[in-house]
Amino acid sequence: MMKRNVCIYLTALLLFPMTAFGQFHIGVKGGLNIAEVKFNSGAYATDNITGFHLGPMLELMTPLGIGIDGAVLFSQKGTYVKEAGSSASLKSNFIEVPVNLKWKIELPVIKPFLAAGPYAAFRISGKNFNVDKNWIQGQFETRSFGAGLNFTGGLELFGKLQAGLTYNMGLTNDYGYALETHKFDGKTRTWIISAAWLF
């Protein structure tokens, strides 16, 4: 009896994704990143830097308008550091993997949606920055792994085109720098404007 119950349970788990999710879409997503690094303390102010993101995505939705979406994105982030009228650009490239819980209001043409969930980011370039520019001096480093949370609101048109605004909040120390005998850490904060086309 125990083996039978286990088999029934496992079969239900395997069939659930096919029955519960009424809609499955793949797509392409891209857009603009407006990023800044907030250091815990230190000698330098920071400002926004502009990058972009691009990559494939998928979406699984139930008939109730609740589902999940995910993507694998090439994403540029970083910051400007400033001091006494001088500035330096710190920009790094990541592979970013967000996975979100999504809720759509099922209307005929325009469907508003909200989404939230975690992301993981893996640095692929832009590790070290040696800055010696007027009064800005130091060794800046981008960490190899980062993670955080996404909060998104947007609209879907005709079941194909999605446009959204995301606040991307880093929870790990993505950047750091050393100045004389002190070390400082910073977390990324990014506003993301994106569009996606679903097939």
Side-chain angles (χ1 to χ4, degrees), residues 3-78:
K3 290 183 178 179
R4 180 181 175 185
N5 289 339
V6 170
C7 289
I8 293 173
Y9 179 70
L10 291 175
T11 302
L13 284 178
L14 292 173
L15 291 176
F16 175 77
M18 293 182 288
T19 57
F21 291 102
Q23 296 180 339
F24 170 74
H25 296 286
I26 60 173
V28 178
K29 184 176 184 177
L32 189 69
N33 296 344
I34 303 171
E36 185 179 3
V37 176
K38 296 293 187 181
F39 288 100
N40 54 357
S41 62
Y44 304 133
T46 60
D47 203 352
N48 295 330
I49 196 168
T50 302
F52 73 94
H53 62 278
L54 181 66
M57 66 166 290
L58 62 83
E59 179 187 83
L60 299 169
M61 299 298 298
T62 69
L64 299 177
I66 300 172
I68 58 174
D69 73 11
V72 179
L73 304 172
F74 174 88
S75 184
Q76 292 182 326
K77 293 182 178 181

Side-chain angles (χ1 to χ4, degrees), residues 82-99:
K82 303 185 297 180
E83 174 67 14
S86 182
S87 65
S89 170
L90 313 178
K91 185 180 286 188
S92 304
N93 298 322
F94 299 87
I95 295 297
E96 193 164 297
V97 183
V99 179

